[in-house]
Structures are given as structure tokens and as C-alpha cells.
Amino acid sequence: MKNTLLILMTLFTFSVFGQETKSEAGGPPKLSELIGFWKKVELPNEEKLNKVNPWPQKYQWFAFCENGKVYSMMSDKDYNYSAKELKEIFDVLPANKTPNYQYNGQFLTIDNKEIKDYQEFWGVNLFAVDINDFLKKGNLIMTLDDGKGNVIYYRLLKKIE
């Protein structure tokens, strides 16, 4: 757990101070690398690592679309959805009620026009190499900021091809 926290904090430090520089371990994804379907991967000792858990359901799926929309869903049960199945699921949701994202360098901002003054501010890093058994090349780590510069939630995602 200590090594995991050290790796995550190091990557977040690169994200904040690196100004879009990549290290051997990874760095901010290109927009083309971010776009697509993702599944949340559980981090070891996740409940201790995260200071808050605004999304309590264990299994989560996401889609970052070229049109600036971000879709998500959660479940208490695990499913092995394909990208095609997730596209079909997310396509039935109304686009005008779906949150938007903006990607700027290594920061991702999500708003939801359905909720007044709602905004999420995330740091994002894409792993360029395997670090250990769960931090793998191609995985995306997202770090949620509390609005004061503090990371309060870590989300690790694996791309669904």
C-alpha cells in the first residue's frame, strides 16, 4: 500500500508541476487516448486511500466522447461489457442531460448543467509502462481535487477495446 500511495502521489506531482511533461512511467494522455470506454479498476486499500467516496458502487464504467460528453454508470455487480455494449447503453441516455468534459493539458473538468454550480476537477495520467500487478500500461489514473488543491479521490481505469 505504501508503494502504491508513493507511486500515485509521484504521478500526481508530475501532473501538477510537470506542465504536460511525460516521465518514463507516463503522463497526460492525448485526447485521442482519452476518448473511448473505460472500466474502473479497484486499487488495493482503496477505502483508506480515498478521503471521500462520492461514487460508492464498486463497479463503474465511463465513456469519454469526441463531442465533449462524458457518460458513466455504476453497479453493485460486475459485468464484462464490450465497447459495443457500452455504446448501446450510453446511446439511449439523453445527450442534453449528460455531463460535459473539457480536457486541457493534463486536467479534466466535468460539469453537469442539471446541477447548479456542479464541477469536478481531475488530474489525469496515462501509464506508459507496467508499474506493478494493478498499475498497468494503458491504465488511466484520475485524481479528484477538492477545489483547494488536495486530492480526495483516486480512480484507476482500464480501457475497454
Side-chain angles (χ1 to χ4, degrees), residues 53-72:
N53 188 0
W55 302 279
Q57 290 181 293
K58 185 174 181 176
Y59 303 102
Q60 302 173 20
W61 298 266
F62 302 87
F64 292 98
C65 301
E66 289 182 40
N67 66 359
K69 296 291 184 183
V70 58
Y71 294 87
S72 64

Side-chain angles (χ1 to χ4, degrees), residues 76-141:
D76 291 326
K77 288 186 172 186
D78 192 13
Y79 298 97
N80 287 316
Y81 291 114
S82 67
K84 181 182 178 199
E85 290 169 319
L86 287 171
K87 181 177 180 348
E88 290 172 2
I89 292 167
F90 291 141
D91 276 352
V92 300
L93 300 175
N96 63 336
K97 295 183 185 269
T98 300
N100 299 300
Y101 75 90
Q102 289 187 327
Y103 184 53
N104 184 8
Q106 59 220 77
F107 298 104
L108 186 76
T109 306
I110 297 175
D111 67 29
N112 188 339
K113 301 213 183 322
E114 294 290 302
I115 303 170
K116 186 179 180 194
D117 298 326
Y118 183 88
Q119 190 171 56
E120 298 172 22
F121 187 67
W122 295 87
V124 290
N125 281 287
L126 189 68
F127 288 98
V129 296
D130 290 353
I131 304 293
N132 55 29
D133 289 340
F134 56 93
L135 298 176
K136 299 288 191 183
K137 179 180 180 177
N139 284 4
L140 182 73
I141 188 79

Side-chain angles (χ1 to χ4, degrees), residues 22-39:
K22 290 196 177 218
S23 73
E24 288 182 18
K30 296 175 189 158
L31 181 59
S32 61
E33 294 171 316
L34 179 66
I35 290 173
F37 299 94
W38 299 84
K39 181 178 182 181

